[in-house]
Amino acid sequence: MLAHGWGRNRDRMVNRGRIFGRLGFTTIMHSARDHGKSSPHPFMCAPRFAEDIEAVLRWVKEPVLLYGHSIGAAAAVIVASRNPGRVKLLFLEGCYARTREALLSLYRSYNWVFGVFFAPMVVLWMEIFWKWRLEKVSPVRLAASIDCPVLIIHGEKDQNFPLHHAWRLRDSFPSGRPRLLWPRARITAVAVLIRITRAS
């Protein structure tokens, strides 16, 4: 089961899904609310992405390999923490570590001036709106409760969420569970992904 990132839709995950398909897995992709042709929904965020993943999980009615990209990866962490035993393997591509830090980093990568001078006020408003719950759903806060193998895939030059997010996330999971890959070439990630899934 594959979950896309912010501003994308299920089409973003087709190439990744083909890899699993060639390995003999049934692949399921969906578009989160307010993305692609899904129904509109205001104020989408990682917990709401997680709700959509859980809706598909209820439909599937069996354990899955869960692959999330960007905010879809953060949502996958939420899902795995809330549904022990339902996720056999967790793949996190381009995942951030802490929500507040990720938002500020994202704004800076889009526009440095806005990110430095105005983004802190935007994030403060978001924290007030969500009643100071942003950090409670940060991946590093939830990782310790997840007891399944995890593969973290992160670009060395990721400008939205720099590589230190991946290191911190890796260190938050139970010992021996996570593996971190920061590939220079996509083929490296594919090779590791194939080894992990075959081992399952």
Coordinates of all heavy atoms in Angstrom, one line a residue, residues 78-164:
I78 N 2.2 7.5 11.8 CA 1.0 7.6 12.6 C 0.2 6.3 12.6 O -0.2 5.8 13.6 CB 0.1 8.8 12.2 CG1 0.9 10.1 12.5 CG2 -1.2 8.8 13.0 CD1 0.2 11.4 11.9
V79 N -0.1 5.8 11.3 CA -0.9 4.6 11.1 C -0.2 3.4 11.8 O -0.9 2.7 12.5 CB -1.1 4.4 9.6 CG1 -1.7 3.0 9.4 CG2 -2.0 5.5 9.0
A80 N 1.1 3.3 11.6 CA 1.8 2.1 12.2 C 1.8 2.2 13.7 O 1.6 1.1 14.3 CB 3.2 2.1 11.7
S81 N 1.8 3.4 14.3 CA 1.8 3.5 15.7 C 0.4 3.2 16.3 O 0.3 2.7 17.4 CB 2.3 4.9 16.2 OG 1.3 5.9 15.8
R82 N -0.6 3.5 15.5 CA -2.0 3.3 16.0 C -2.6 1.9 15.7 O -3.6 1.5 16.2 CB -2.9 4.3 15.4 CG -2.6 5.7 15.9 CD -3.7 6.7 15.7 NE -4.2 6.9 14.4 CZ -4.6 8.0 13.9 NH1 -4.6 9.1 14.6 NH2 -5.0 8.1 12.6
N83 N -1.9 1.2 14.8 CA -2.4 -0.1 14.3 C -1.3 -1.2 14.4 O -0.9 -1.7 13.4 CB -2.9 0.0 12.9 CG -4.0 1.0 12.7 OD1 -5.2 0.7 12.9 ND2 -3.7 2.3 12.5
P84 N -0.9 -1.5 15.6 CA 0.2 -2.6 15.8 C -0.3 -3.9 15.1 O -1.4 -4.3 15.3 CB 0.3 -2.7 17.3 CG -0.9 -2.1 17.9 CD -1.4 -1.1 16.9
G85 N 0.6 -4.5 14.4 CA 0.3 -5.8 13.8 C -0.3 -5.6 12.4 O -0.3 -6.6 11.6
R86 N -0.8 -4.5 12.0 CA -1.4 -4.3 10.7 C -0.3 -3.9 9.6 O -0.6 -4.1 8.4 CB -2.5 -3.2 10.7 CG -3.7 -3.5 11.6 CD -4.4 -4.7 11.1 NE -4.8 -4.6 9.7 CZ -5.9 -4.0 9.3 NH1 -6.7 -3.3 10.1 NH2 -6.2 -4.0 8.0
V87 N 0.8 -3.4 10.1 CA 1.9 -3.0 9.1 C 3.1 -3.9 9.3 O 3.7 -3.9 10.4 CB 2.3 -1.5 9.4 CG1 3.4 -1.2 8.4 CG2 1.1 -0.6 9.2
K88 N 3.4 -4.8 8.3 CA 4.4 -5.7 8.4 C 5.8 -5.1 8.1 O 6.8 -5.5 8.8 CB 4.2 -6.9 7.5 CG 3.0 -7.8 7.8 CD 2.8 -8.8 6.8 CE 4.0 -9.8 6.7 NZ 3.7 -10.8 5.6
L89 N 5.8 -4.2 7.2 CA 7.1 -3.5 6.8 C 6.7 -2.0 6.6 O 5.6 -1.8 6.0 CB 7.7 -4.1 5.6 CG 8.4 -5.4 5.7 CD1 8.7 -5.9 4.3 CD2 9.6 -5.3 6.5
L90 N 7.5 -1.1 7.0 CA 7.3 0.3 6.8 C 8.4 0.9 6.0 O 9.6 0.8 6.4 CB 7.2 1.0 8.2 CG 6.8 2.4 8.3 CD1 5.4 2.6 7.7 CD2 6.8 2.9 9.8
F91 N 8.0 1.6 4.9 CA 9.0 2.3 4.0 C 8.7 3.8 4.1 O 7.6 4.2 3.9 CB 8.8 1.8 2.6 CG 9.1 0.4 2.4 CD1 8.1 -0.6 2.5 CD2 10.3 -0.1 1.9 CE1 8.4 -1.9 2.3 CE2 10.6 -1.4 1.7 CZ 9.6 -2.3 1.9
L92 N 9.7 4.6 4.5 CA 9.5 6.0 4.7 C 10.5 6.7 3.7 O 11.7 6.7 3.9 CB 9.8 6.4 6.1 CG 9.0 5.6 7.2 CD1 9.5 6.1 8.6 CD2 7.5 5.9 7.0
E93 N 9.9 7.4 2.7 CA 10.7 8.1 1.8 C 10.6 9.6 2.0 O 9.5 10.1 1.9 CB 10.3 7.7 0.3 CG 11.1 8.5 -0.7 CD 10.7 8.2 -2.1 OE1 9.8 7.3 -2.3 OE2 11.1 8.9 -3.0
G94 N 11.7 10.3 2.2 CA 11.6 11.7 2.4 C 10.8 12.2 3.5 O 10.1 13.2 3.5
C95 N 10.9 11.4 4.6 CA 10.1 11.8 5.8 C 10.8 12.8 6.7 O 12.0 12.8 6.8 CB 9.8 10.5 6.6 SG 8.6 10.7 8.0
Y96 N 10.0 13.7 7.3 CA 10.6 14.6 8.3 C 10.6 14.0 9.7 O 9.9 13.0 9.9 CB 9.8 15.9 8.2 CG 8.3 15.8 8.5 CD1 7.8 15.8 9.8 CD2 7.4 15.9 7.4 CE1 6.5 15.7 10.0 CE2 6.0 15.8 7.7 CZ 5.6 15.7 9.0 OH 4.2 15.6 9.2
A97 N 11.3 14.7 10.6 CA 11.4 14.2 11.9 C 10.4 14.8 12.9 O 9.6 14.2 13.6 CB 12.8 14.4 12.5
R98 N 10.4 16.2 12.9 CA 9.5 16.9 13.8 C 8.7 17.9 12.9 O 9.2 18.5 12.1 CB 10.3 17.7 14.8 CG 11.0 16.8 15.9 CD 11.6 17.7 17.0 NE 12.2 16.8 18.0 CZ 11.5 16.2 19.0 NH1 10.2 16.4 19.1 NH2 12.1 15.4 19.9
T99 N 7.4 18.0 13.3 CA 6.4 18.7 12.5 C 6.8 20.2 12.4 O 6.8 20.7 11.3 CB 5.0 18.5 13.0 OG1 4.7 17.1 13.2 CG2 4.0 19.2 12.1
R100 N 7.0 20.8 13.5 CA 7.2 22.3 13.5 C 8.5 22.6 12.7 O 8.5 23.5 11.8 CB 7.3 22.8 14.9 CG 7.4 24.3 15.0 CD 7.5 24.8 16.4 NE 7.3 26.3 16.5 CZ 8.3 27.1 16.2 NH1 9.5 26.7 15.9 NH2 8.1 28.4 16.3
E101 N 9.6 21.9 12.9 CA 10.8 22.1 12.2 C 10.7 21.8 10.7 O 11.2 22.5 9.9 CB 11.9 21.2 12.8 CG 13.3 21.3 12.2 CD 14.3 20.3 12.8 OE1 14.0 19.7 13.8 OE2 15.3 20.2 12.2
A102 N 9.9 20.8 10.4 CA 9.7 20.5 9.0 C 8.9 21.6 8.3 O 9.3 22.0 7.1 CB 8.9 19.2 8.9
L103 N 7.9 22.2 8.9 CA 7.2 23.3 8.3 C 8.0 24.5 8.0 O 8.0 25.1 6.9 CB 6.0 23.7 9.2 CG 4.8 22.7 9.2 CD1 3.9 23.0 10.4 CD2 4.1 22.7 7.9
L104 N 8.9 24.8 9.0 CA 9.8 26.0 8.8 C 10.8 25.7 7.7 O 11.1 26.6 6.9 CB 10.5 26.3 10.2 CG 9.6 26.8 11.3 CD1 10.3 26.9 12.6 CD2 9.0 28.2 10.9
S105 N 11.3 24.5 7.7 CA 12.3 24.1 6.7 C 11.6 24.2 5.3 O 12.2 24.7 4.3 CB 12.8 22.7 6.9 OG 13.7 22.3 5.9
L106 N 10.4 23.7 5.2 CA 9.7 23.7 3.9 C 9.5 25.1 3.4 O 9.7 25.4 2.2 CB 8.3 23.0 4.1 CG 7.6 22.5 2.9 CD1 8.4 21.5 2.1 CD2 6.3 21.9 3.3
Y107 N 9.0 26.0 4.3 CA 8.8 27.4 3.9 C 10.1 28.1 3.5 O 10.1 28.8 2.5 CB 8.2 28.2 5.0 CG 6.7 27.9 5.3 CD1 6.3 27.6 6.6 CD2 5.8 27.7 4.3 CE1 4.9 27.3 6.9 CE2 4.5 27.4 4.5 CZ 4.0 27.2 5.8 OH 2.7 26.9 6.0
R108 N 11.2 27.8 4.2 CA 12.5 28.4 3.8 C 13.0 27.9 2.4 O 13.6 28.7 1.7 CB 13.5 28.1 4.9 CG 13.4 28.9 6.1 CD 14.6 28.8 7.0 NE 14.9 27.4 7.4 CZ 14.5 26.9 8.5 NH1 13.7 27.6 9.4 NH2 14.8 25.6 8.8
S109 N 12.7 26.6 2.1 CA 13.2 26.1 0.9 C 12.4 26.7 -0.3 O 12.9 26.8 -1.4 CB 13.0 24.6 0.9 OG 11.7 24.2 0.8
Y110 N 11.1 27.1 -0.1 CA 10.3 27.7 -1.1 C 10.7 29.2 -1.3 O 10.8 29.7 -2.4 CB 8.8 27.6 -0.8 CG 8.3 26.1 -1.0 CD1 7.2 25.7 -0.3 CD2 8.9 25.2 -1.9 CE1 6.8 24.4 -0.4 CE2 8.5 24.0 -2.0 CZ 7.4 23.5 -1.3 OH 6.9 22.2 -1.4
N111 N 10.8 29.9 -0.2 CA 11.2 31.3 -0.3 C 11.9 31.7 1.0 O 11.3 31.7 2.1 CB 9.9 32.2 -0.4 CG 10.2 33.6 -0.6 OD1 10.7 34.3 0.2 ND2 9.8 34.1 -1.8
W112 N 13.1 32.0 0.9 CA 14.0 32.2 2.1 C 13.5 33.4 2.9 O 13.4 33.3 4.2 CB 15.4 32.5 1.7 CG 16.4 32.6 2.9 CD1 17.0 31.5 3.5 CD2 16.7 33.8 3.6 NE1 17.7 32.0 4.5 CE2 17.6 33.4 4.6 CE3 16.5 35.1 3.4 CZ2 18.2 34.3 5.5 CZ3 17.0 36.0 4.3 CH2 17.9 35.6 5.3
V113 N 13.1 34.5 2.3 CA 12.6 35.7 3.0 C 11.4 35.4 3.8 O 11.2 35.7 5.0 CB 12.4 36.9 2.1 CG1 11.8 38.1 2.8 CG2 13.7 37.3 1.4
F114 N 10.4 34.7 3.1 CA 9.1 34.4 3.8 C 9.4 33.4 4.9 O 8.9 33.5 6.0 CB 8.2 33.7 2.8 CG 6.9 33.3 3.4 CD1 5.8 34.2 3.6 CD2 6.7 32.0 3.8 CE1 4.7 33.8 4.2 CE2 5.6 31.5 4.4 CZ 4.5 32.4 4.6
G115 N 10.3 32.4 4.6 CA 10.6 31.4 5.6 C 11.2 31.9 6.9 O 10.9 31.4 8.0
V116 N 12.1 32.9 6.7 CA 12.8 33.4 7.9 C 11.9 34.4 8.7 O 11.9 34.4 9.9 CB 14.1 34.1 7.4 CG1 14.8 34.8 8.6 CG2 15.1 33.0 6.9
F117 N 11.2 35.3 8.0 CA 10.6 36.4 8.6 C 9.1 36.2 8.9 O 8.5 36.8 9.9 CB 10.7 37.7 7.8 CG 12.2 38.2 7.8 CD1 12.9 38.0 6.6 CD2 12.8 38.8 8.8 CE1 14.2 38.4 6.5 CE2 14.1 39.2 8.8 CZ 14.8 39.0 7.6
F118 N 8.4 35.4 8.1 CA 6.9 35.3 8.3 C 6.5 33.9 8.6 O 5.5 33.7 9.3 CB 6.2 35.7 6.9 CG 6.5 37.1 6.6 CD1 7.4 37.4 5.6 CD2 5.8 38.1 7.2 CE1 7.6 38.7 5.2 CE2 6.0 39.5 6.9 CZ 6.9 39.8 5.9
A119 N 7.2 32.8 8.2 CA 6.8 31.5 8.5 C 6.7 31.2 10.0 O 5.7 30.5 10.3 CB 7.8 30.5 7.9
P120 N 7.5 31.7 10.9 CA 7.3 31.4 12.3 C 5.9 31.8 12.8 O 5.3 31.2 13.6 CB 8.4 32.2 13.0 CG 9.5 32.2 12.0 CD 8.8 32.4 10.7
M121 N 5.4 33.0 12.3 CA 4.1 33.4 12.7 C 3.0 32.5 12.1 O 2.0 32.2 12.8 CB 3.9 34.9 12.2 CG 4.7 35.9 12.9 SD 4.4 37.6 12.4 CE 5.2 37.6 10.7
V122 N 3.2 32.0 10.9 CA 2.3 31.1 10.3 C 2.2 29.8 11.1 O 1.1 29.2 11.4 CB 2.6 30.8 8.8 CG1 1.7 29.7 8.2 CG2 2.5 32.1 8.0
V123 N 3.4 29.3 11.4 CA 3.4 28.0 12.2 C 2.8 28.2 13.6 O 2.2 27.3 14.1 CB 4.9 27.5 12.3 CG1 5.0 26.3 13.2 CG2 5.4 27.2 10.9
L124 N 3.1 29.4 14.2 CA 2.4 29.6 15.5 C 0.9 29.6 15.4 O 0.2 29.0 16.2 CB 2.9 31.0 16.0 CG 2.3 31.5 17.3 CD1 2.6 30.5 18.5 CD2 2.7 32.9 17.7
W125 N 0.4 30.2 14.3 CA -1.1 30.2 14.1 C -1.5 28.7 13.9 O -2.6 28.4 14.5 CB -1.4 31.0 12.8 CG -2.9 30.9 12.5 CD1 -3.9 31.7 13.0 CD2 -3.5 29.9 11.7 NE1 -5.1 31.3 12.5 CE2 -4.9 30.2 11.7 CE3 -3.1 28.9 10.9 CZ2 -5.9 29.4 11.0 CZ3 -4.0 28.1 10.2 CH2 -5.4 28.4 10.2
M126 N -0.8 27.9 13.2 CA -1.1 26.5 13.0 C -1.2 25.8 14.4 O -2.0 25.0 14.6 CB -0.2 25.9 12.0 CG -0.3 26.4 10.6 SD 0.9 25.7 9.5 CE 0.3 24.0 9.4
E127 N -0.2 26.1 15.2 CA -0.1 25.4 16.5 C -1.3 25.8 17.4 O -1.9 24.9 18.1 CB 1.2 25.7 17.2 CG 2.4 25.1 16.5 CD 3.6 25.2 17.4 OE1 4.1 26.3 17.7 OE2 4.1 24.1 17.8
I128 N -1.7 27.0 17.3 CA -2.9 27.5 18.1 C -4.1 26.8 17.5 O -5.0 26.3 18.3 CB -3.0 29.0 18.0 CG1 -1.8 29.7 18.8 CG2 -4.3 29.5 18.6 CD1 -1.7 31.2 18.6
F129 N -4.2 26.8 16.2 CA -5.4 26.2 15.5 C -5.6 24.7 15.9 O -6.7 24.3 16.1 CB -5.3 26.4 14.0 CG -6.5 25.8 13.2 CD1 -7.6 26.5 13.1 CD2 -6.4 24.5 12.7 CE1 -8.7 26.0 12.4 CE2 -7.5 24.0 12.0 CZ -8.6 24.8 11.8
W130 N -4.4 24.0 15.9 CA -4.5 22.6 16.2 C -4.3 22.3 17.7 O -4.0 21.2 18.1 CB -3.4 21.8 15.4 CG -3.7 21.8 14.0 CD1 -3.0 22.5 13.0 CD2 -4.7 21.1 13.3 NE1 -3.6 22.3 11.8 CE2 -4.6 21.4 11.9 CE3 -5.7 20.2 13.7 CZ2 -5.5 20.8 11.0 CZ3 -6.6 19.7 12.8 CH2 -6.5 20.0 11.4
K131 N -4.4 23.4 18.5 CA -4.4 23.3 20.0 C -3.1 22.6 20.5 O -3.1 21.7 21.3 CB -5.6 22.5 20.5 CG -6.9 23.2 20.1 CD -8.1 22.4 20.6 CE -9.4 23.1 20.2 NZ -10.6 22.3 20.6
W132 N -2.0 23.1 19.9 CA -0.6 22.7 20.4 C -0.4 21.1 20.2 O 0.3 20.6 21.0 CB -0.4 23.1 21.8 CG -0.7 24.6 22.0 CD1 -1.8 25.1 22.6 CD2 0.1 25.7 21.6 NE1 -1.7 26.5 22.5 CE2 -0.6 26.9 21.9 CE3 1.4 25.8 20.9 CZ2 0.0 28.1 21.6 CZ3 1.9 27.0 20.7 CH2 1.2 28.2 21.0
R133 N -1.0 20.5 19.2 CA -0.9 19.1 19.0 C 0.1 18.7 17.9 O 0.2 17.6 17.6 CB -2.2 18.5 18.7 CG -3.2 18.5 20.0 CD -4.5 17.9 19.7 NE -5.2 18.7 18.7 CZ -6.5 18.5 18.3 NH1 -7.2 17.5 18.8 NH2 -7.1 19.3 17.5
L134 N 0.7 19.7 17.2 CA 1.6 19.5 16.1 C 2.7 18.5 16.5 O 3.0 17.5 15.8 CB 2.2 20.8 15.5 CG 1.2 21.7 14.7 CD1 2.0 22.9 14.2 CD2 0.6 20.9 13.6
E135 N 3.4 18.8 17.6 CA 4.5 18.0 18.0 C 4.1 16.6 18.5 O 4.9 15.6 18.4 CB 5.3 18.7 19.0 CG 6.2 19.8 18.5 CD 7.2 19.2 17.4 OE1 8.0 18.3 17.7 OE2 7.1 19.7 16.3
K136 N 2.9 16.4 18.9 CA 2.4 15.1 19.4 C 2.4 14.1 18.3 O 2.4 12.9 18.6 CB 1.1 15.3 20.1 CG 1.1 16.0 21.4 CD -0.3 16.1 22.0 CE -0.2 16.9 23.4 NZ -1.5 16.9 24.0
V137 N 2.2 14.5 17.0 CA 2.2 13.6 15.9 C 3.5 13.6 15.1 O 3.5 13.1 14.0 CB 1.0 13.8 15.0 CG1 -0.3 13.6 15.8 CG2 1.0 15.3 14.5
S138 N 4.5 14.2 15.7 CA 5.8 14.2 15.0 C 6.3 12.7 14.9 O 6.2 12.0 15.9 CB 6.9 15.0 15.8 OG 6.6 16.4 15.7
P139 N 6.9 12.3 13.7 CA 7.4 11.0 13.6 C 8.3 10.5 14.7 O 8.2 9.4 15.2 CB 8.0 11.0 12.2 CG 7.2 12.0 11.5 CD 6.9 13.0 12.5
V140 N 9.2 11.4 15.2 CA 10.2 11.0 16.2 C 9.5 10.7 17.5 O 10.0 10.0 18.4 CB 11.3 12.0 16.4 CG1 12.2 12.1 15.2 CG2 10.7 13.4 16.8
R141 N 8.3 11.3 17.7 CA 7.6 11.1 19.0 C 6.9 9.7 19.0 O 6.6 9.1 20.0 CB 6.5 12.2 19.2 CG 7.1 13.5 19.5 CD 7.6 13.7 20.9 NE 6.5 13.5 21.9 CZ 5.7 14.4 22.3 NH1 5.9 15.7 21.9 NH2 4.8 14.2 23.2
L142 N 6.5 9.2 17.8 CA 5.7 8.0 17.6 C 6.6 6.8 17.3 O 6.1 5.6 17.5 CB 4.7 8.2 16.5 CG 3.7 9.4 16.7 CD1 2.8 9.5 15.5 CD2 2.9 9.2 17.9
A143 N 7.8 7.0 16.8 CA 8.6 5.9 16.3 C 8.9 4.8 17.3 O 8.9 3.6 17.0 CB 9.9 6.4 15.7
A144 N 9.1 5.2 18.6 CA 9.5 4.2 19.6 C 8.4 3.1 19.8 O 8.8 2.1 20.3 CB 9.8 4.9 20.9
S145 N 7.2 3.4 19.4 CA 6.1 2.5 19.7 C 5.9 1.5 18.5 O 5.0 0.6 18.6 CB 4.8 3.2 20.0 OG 4.4 3.9 18.8
I146 N 6.7 1.7 17.5 CA 6.5 0.9 16.2 C 7.4 -0.3 16.2 O 8.7 -0.2 16.2 CB 6.7 1.7 15.0 CG1 5.6 2.8 15.0 CG2 6.6 0.9 13.7 CD1 5.8 3.8 13.9
D147 N 6.9 -1.5 16.2 CA 7.7 -2.7 16.3 C 7.6 -3.5 15.0 O 7.0 -4.6 14.9 CB 7.3 -3.6 17.5 CG 8.2 -4.8 17.7 OD1 9.4 -4.7 17.3 OD2 7.8 -5.8 18.3
C148 N 8.1 -3.0 13.9 CA 8.2 -3.7 12.6 C 9.5 -3.2 11.9 O 10.0 -2.1 12.2 CB 7.0 -3.5 11.8 SG 6.8 -1.8 11.1
P149 N 10.0 -3.9 11.0 CA 11.2 -3.5 10.2 C 10.8 -2.2 9.4 O 9.7 -2.0 8.9 CB 11.5 -4.6 9.3 CG 10.9 -5.8 9.9 CD 9.6 -5.3 10.6
V150 N 11.8 -1.2 9.4 CA 11.6 0.1 8.8 C 12.7 0.4 7.8 O 13.9 0.2 8.2 CB 11.5 1.2 9.8 CG1 11.2 2.5 9.1 CG2 10.4 0.9 10.8
L151 N 12.4 0.8 6.6 CA 13.5 1.3 5.7 C 13.2 2.7 5.5 O 12.1 3.1 5.0 CB 13.4 0.5 4.4 CG 14.4 1.0 3.3 CD1 15.9 0.8 3.8 CD2 14.2 0.3 2.0
I152 N 14.2 3.6 5.8 CA 14.1 5.0 5.6 C 14.9 5.4 4.4 O 16.1 5.1 4.4 CB 14.6 5.8 6.9 CG1 13.8 5.3 8.1 CG2 14.6 7.3 6.7 CD1 14.4 5.8 9.4
I153 N 14.3 6.0 3.4 CA 15.0 6.4 2.2 C 14.9 7.9 2.1 O 13.9 8.5 2.2 CB 14.2 5.8 0.9 CG1 14.1 4.3 1.0 CG2 14.9 6.2 -0.4 CD1 13.2 3.6 0.0
H154 N 16.1 8.5 2.0 CA 16.2 9.9 2.0 C 17.3 10.4 1.1 O 18.4 9.9 1.0 CB 16.5 10.4 3.4 CG 16.0 11.7 3.8 ND1 14.7 11.8 4.5 CD2 16.4 13.0 3.6 CE1 14.5 13.1 4.7 NE2 15.5 13.8 4.1
G155 N 17.0 11.5 0.3 CA 17.9 12.1 -0.6 C 19.0 12.8 0.1 O 18.7 13.6 1.0
E156 N 20.2 12.7 -0.4 CA 21.4 13.4 0.3 C 21.2 14.9 0.2 O 21.6 15.6 1.1 CB 22.7 13.0 -0.4 CG 23.3 11.8 0.1 CD 24.7 11.6 -0.5 OE1 24.9 11.7 -1.7 OE2 25.6 11.3 0.3
K157 N 20.6 15.4 -0.9 CA 20.5 16.8 -1.1 C 19.0 17.3 -1.1 O 18.6 18.3 -1.7 CB 21.1 17.2 -2.5 CG 22.6 16.8 -2.6 CD 23.1 17.2 -3.9 CE 24.6 16.9 -4.0 NZ 25.2 17.3 -5.3
D158 N 18.2 16.6 -0.3 CA 16.8 17.0 -0.1 C 16.8 18.4 0.5 O 17.3 18.6 1.6 CB 16.1 16.0 0.9 CG 14.6 16.2 1.0 OD1 14.2 17.3 1.0 OD2 13.9 15.2 1.0
Q159 N 16.2 19.3 -0.2 CA 16.2 20.7 0.2 C 15.0 21.0 1.1 O 15.0 22.0 1.9 CB 16.1 21.7 -1.0 CG 17.4 21.6 -1.8 CD 17.4 22.5 -3.0 OE1 16.4 23.2 -3.2 NE2 18.5 22.6 -3.7
N160 N 13.9 20.2 1.0 CA 12.8 20.4 1.9 C 13.0 19.9 3.3 O 12.8 20.7 4.3 CB 11.5 19.7 1.3 CG 11.0 20.3 0.0 OD1 11.2 21.5 -0.2 ND2 10.4 19.5 -0.8
F161 N 13.5 18.7 3.4 CA 13.8 18.1 4.7 C 15.3 17.6 4.6 O 15.5 16.5 4.1 CB 12.9 17.0 5.1 CG 11.4 17.4 4.9 CD1 10.5 16.6 4.2 CD2 10.9 18.5 5.5 CE1 9.2 16.9 4.0 CE2 9.6 18.9 5.3 CZ 8.7 18.1 4.6
P162 N 16.2 18.4 5.1 CA 17.6 18.0 5.0 C 17.9 16.6 5.7 O 17.1 16.1 6.5 CB 18.4 19.1 5.7 CG 17.5 20.3 5.6 CD 16.1 19.7 5.6
L163 N 19.0 16.0 5.4 CA 19.3 14.6 5.8 C 19.3 14.4 7.3 O 19.0 13.3 7.7 CB 20.7 14.2 5.2 CG 21.1 12.8 5.3 CD1 20.1 11.9 4.7 CD2 22.5 12.6 4.7
H164 N 19.5 15.5 8.1 CA 19.5 15.2 9.5 C 18.1 14.8 10.0 O 18.1 14.1 11.1 CB 20.0 16.5 10.3 CG 19.1 17.7 10.2 ND1 17.9 17.8 10.9 CD2 19.1 18.8 9.4 CE1 17.3 18.9 10.6 NE2 18.0 19.6 9.7

